[in-house]
Amino acid sequence: MARQDGELDPLWQDLDWAIGQMLIMGWDGTEVTPPIRNLIENHHLGSIILTAKNLKSAEQTAALVQELQTIAHQAGHPQPLLIALDQENGGVNSLFDEDYICQFPSAMGIAATGSTELAYNVAKATATEISAVGVNLILGPVLDVLTNARHQPLGVRTTGDDPHEASQYCIATINGYKDAGIATCGKHFPSYGNLDFLGSSLDMPIITQTLEELSLSALVPFRNAVSAGRLDAMFIGGCGIQNAGMNVTHACLSDQVVDDLLRNELGFKGVAISECLEMQSLIQEYGVKGGTVMAVEAGNDLILLCRAHDVQLEAISGLKLGIENGIISKKRIYTSLRRVLKLKSACTSWEKALNPPGLPLLSKIHPSHFALSQKAYDQSITVVRDNDNLLPLSENLLQGEELLLLTPLVKPLPASAATKNLLEKGNGKLSSLHEKWAHHERGTIMSGEGVFREFGKSLARIRNGKLLHTSYTANGLRPVHENLINRASAIIIVTADANRNMYQNGFTKHVATMCHMLRGTGQKKALIVVAVSSPYDFAMEKMIGTYVCTFDFTETAMASLVRALYGDFVPQGSMPGTMRKSKKLTKTRQQWLVENYERSRDAHGLNELLKTLARSSTPSLPYVAATADSFELQSQSFEESHFVVRNSSTNMLYGFVATYFLGGVGIIGAIFVDPAKRNVSIGRSLHRRAMRSLLQKPGIKKIQLGLAYPGVFPGVPVDDTGSIRSWFDNVGWDTQFPKRLANMMIEDLGSWSPPEGLLQSIQRANISFDLIKSLDNGESVLALVAAHSGPEIVELYRSALQDQNCGVVRAKVAPQNVLGVVIICNRASHLASFIPSLQAGGSQEMGGMIAPIVVASSAAPSNLVLQGLVFMGLRQNKSQKSSKSILSWVTGETHDLFSAMGFEIQQTFDEVVNSPEHWLDLS
């Protein structure tokens, strides 16, 4: 175990123990076998991966994991085993137990609901269930973006093709996992979202995009997930990379990918886990020993070897040989060891590992989770088109008319009742989710008509009438199909990844053409196409008039589909990603009713909206610490007018804008919209109402985006893509010349020391400092601020001087010659309610300095005065036992100055100012 001072326990000086902690391994079978016991007892294996082939039920899984942990405990392991599992939901679940473990939609299915809050709740429920059986590391979420959406095997395992939407849902998912107490692992870095299967000389797909192209799209969710600070591990892919700047055969073996791109560029400090090194192409090229050494050299901390015991032993031997040969240093081993031990300390303990809650907890939570499952599936069902108004079928198909169901031959999902029944009859065997480089097999078309048999029976039951059901194959439209189509009044065709299984595409179009011809003769031939995997099968195919998507074909998804087809509920899902946006943009721009914000009515809804935004945003957006109170100053100096778009029936807020007016300046201090309601003009409607309100103020001289007090948004948040700023450009703002502002932080104030020579320079310049604690002595402070800053900064200083937990440090060279001022405060101050950055320390005590202002003077260099003010503020923060110190409202030209003092930028904003004349069309 790691000691508090950072030194490792003497046990880890034995390299055999240290090496064991750098390996994650699996095995075949549902019981502990001699090989896996040997690895834990004699090779000190520290991490186990479980797959569907290990797991029969929740009860068996809990017992199996408990036995594994007991073996490790008795063998002297200082910390419990990491127990990792794929439980992505949709079609990729390792653990199936219809009595205790709930099925939830795939990542894309959740995105189709349009609710990041639902994403959070589903993730938390999933993690709670697998934690109950002893799992402490979930291999998820999938952070990949489908850059080439229609031809990629990851399909519905991803959120979709929009990197920003993917970021929102992935961060919400990570937060759900973490709040349930388990560790998280993003995958598959640097991306499996746009792979080329044709251009590779290896039995391995490749990435051909340049790093610049990857940065603009594929890497965005990875970067945002890392920035959010709750991602414990990253799964490094095994694909190749071939572009102008990089020629890598296996990403997980390349230091350019792991050390340079992931750690240095993205700033990831957690555990890097390699793709399974049992890949045939890797074994043929490097051998397992060589590949294992290369994986460690590249920067991986955990090396994955899925199942073959002889290969696992060879990998252990390779690591020892790499150390003996001097290729791998002890320092490199202990760097990874520390990361792994830190991860274990955060997600498990012996008390927890040896006593999983098991079935009692699962029984207790199952009813609520089952209800959540049904809600999630119902909300995910998406009707992309219903041009002929065929839905619901209950209103369009008479009792005596026949319904035909045509289904493809597909492989049953590993975690499903169909597979369970297949195995119990001895007619099939599960393949590991990790047997191939991307957890899938190239040959996806397998015998499995039984997968849709229950769907057919459910359709027959709900309509209380006859159902015709048969399969179709690559043999195309046969006479049996033609006969049934001639008999039926309505036809439902199910497709599953028709873009990759082209026979489905051809068959469906053939049937559509036949139905069109028969309708021309006066026959009733209603055609509904249902895509049960990728929604892109016929998303753009206009000849398919009624097109429905379910995003997976689990039993739960099919049950929701039946109820949607027959009108039990109206499907509200939408195509995720760019198709959702493009569909919304084609609509006439909607005008939403905007109402005045009323505290008694809307405060609760605003708090809920802020929580939803926090779950789907990076920490660079200050939603976590903000509340409804953060926007209401209730000061006589400010005129405040806030507006909302709301559902008057449910009191849910869809969007909020805060406006302020003082000293001739009209200010938008915040504007935000529920992620599920974006791209339908709510933001535009709020913005238009806010601008109309401000422009009507008498004496208005300028319009401003961003506000220091309240300081939730000092300006437009700066993101890597500039998408937020582009939105303001699109609604009319001139953002060419912003004032760049930042919040900066010293993370460890206890170990901080001033730059060498700073004190001596201050003394030589004869700069002195004093602390002003009340308005009685604050006239000179307010006069200086009024002369060198805006009216809202004056009010900020006025408020600080009235707060017993605040003060103002003055810098001066003579009693009447004040050179600069800065506010100092802590999280107990009144100001902390309005400046979320003062709450950023979590449970640690946070000190703060806000809005440093310096007067240009020949008496002392301005930069030295600034550093002196901040130095005195830091001393004051230290004296109040603060662990961290935030410096807020720092102008762009001084960022480097404070970076030299040890501050790091946390958030960056652009304050934008326009003249009222710029908005004459709204006046």
Side-chain angles (χ1 to χ4, degrees), residues 554-568:
T554 57
E555 288 87 352
T556 321
M558 294 298 94
S560 284
L561 172 62
V562 169
R563 292 185 298 105
L565 291 174
Y566 272 85
D568 280 9

Side-chain angles (χ1 to χ4, degrees), residues 440-452:
H440 78 285
E441 295 182 347
R442 297 281 180 91
T444 57
I445 304 170
M446 294 177 61
S447 178
E449 185 175 348
V451 172
F452 298 108

Side-chain angles (χ1 to χ4, degrees), residues 403-704:
L403 173 63
L404 171 61
L405 175 62
L406 298 169
T407 56
L409 301 181
V410 297
K411 178 183 175 184
L413 299 173
S416 66
T419 297
K420 185 178 180 181
N421 294 335
L422 199 65
L423 290 174
E424 287 173 351
K425 293 175 182 177
N427 294 327
K429 73 181 187 71
L430 276 179
S431 58
S432 165
L433 292 173
H434 285 275
E435 283 187 20
K436 295 291 183 180
W437 63 270
H439 313 283
H440 78 285
E441 295 182 347
R442 297 281 180 91
T444 57
I445 304 170
M446 294 177 61
S447 178
E449 185 175 348
V451 172
F452 298 108
R453 187 171 290 129
E454 282 305 313
F455 173 48
K457 289 180 179 178
S458 297
L459 278 173
R461 280 193 298 269
I462 199 167
R463 72 179 302 250
N464 236 346
K466 186 178 287 188
L467 177 83
L468 308 171
H469 181 191
T470 190
S471 294
Y472 65 94
T473 70
N475 292 326
L477 194 70
R478 312 301 294 169
V480 64
H481 299 125
E482 292 180 357
N483 292 335
L484 292 171
I485 291 168
N486 280 314
R487 284 177 56 183
S489 298
I491 300 101
I492 297 174
I493 302 180
V494 171
T495 65
D497 293 309
N499 281 312
R500 292 193 295 122
N501 299 310
M502 292 304 295
Y503 81 93
Q504 297 179 21
N505 187 289
F507 180 87
T508 302
K509 289 181 177 178
H510 197 156
V511 174
T513 301
M514 185 177 173
C515 288
H516 179 73
M517 292 173 61
L518 291 172
R519 281 195 295 270
T521 67
Q523 297 184 51
K524 182 177 180 180
K525 296 295 170 191
L527 177 64
I528 299 169
V529 175
V530 178
V532 297
S533 187
S534 169
Y536 303 106
D537 288 358
F538 295 98
M540 307 302 290
E541 189 59 66
K542 300 303 182 185
M543 71 181 296
I544 307 299
T546 300
Y547 183 52
V548 183
C549 300
T550 68
F551 306 96
D552 70 59
F553 51 93
T554 57
E555 288 87 352
T556 321
M558 294 298 94
S560 284
L561 172 62
V562 169
R563 292 185 298 105
L565 291 174
Y566 272 85
D568 280 9
F569 64 91
V570 178
Q572 298 294 321
S574 58
M575 289 286 287
T578 55
M579 292 197 69
R580 171 156 49 207
K581 290 182 178 179
S582 64
K583 186 174 181 181
K584 288 174 179 174
L585 289 173
T586 59
K587 298 178 180 178
T588 303
R589 190 162 283 156
Q590 183 174 350
Q591 291 294 319
W592 292 80
L593 288 175
V594 180
E595 303 178 52
N596 290 316
Y597 173 83
E598 294 181 12
R599 180 183 180 84
S600 59
R601 182 193 67 194
D602 298 327
H604 175 74
L606 181 53
N607 281 323
E608 291 302 307
L609 176 57
L610 287 164
K611 289 177 186 176
T612 298
L613 287 160
R615 288 170 183 159
S616 60
S617 304
T618 65
S620 62
L621 297 174
Y623 297 118
V624 173
T627 69
D629 293 337
S630 302
F631 302 97
E632 291 190 275
L633 285 172
Q634 297 178 342
S635 165
Q636 293 182 352
S637 302
F638 284 78
E639 289 184 46
E640 297 182 60
S641 299
H642 309 321
F643 304 98
V644 297
V645 169
R646 56 188 285 269
N647 183 321
S648 59
S649 300
T650 65
N651 279 334
M652 284 184 62
L653 294 197
Y654 294 158
F656 172 83
V657 62
T659 71
Y660 308 86
F661 180 73
L662 75 162
V665 183
I667 304 166
I668 293 182
I671 183 169
F672 44 81
V673 174
D674 185 334
K677 296 291 182 181
R678 288 177 183 165
N679 303 302
V680 292
S681 297
I682 291 175
R684 284 178 175 269
S685 297
L686 285 165
H687 177 265
R688 188 176 184 87
R689 177 65 181 272
M691 292 299 293
R692 283 182 177 276
S693 172
L694 291 173
L695 289 166
Q696 291 169 5
K697 302 293 183 184
I700 187 164
K701 301 171 185 174
K702 60 182 181 179
I703 304 281
Q704 180 174 305

Side-chain angles (χ1 to χ4, degrees), residues 365-384:
I365 62 179
H366 189 70
S368 62
H369 284 194
F370 183 79
L372 178 64
S373 167
Q374 188 172 67
K375 174 185 176 183
Y377 271 108
D378 286 355
Q379 291 186 12
S380 72
I381 302 295
T382 298
V383 177
V384 180

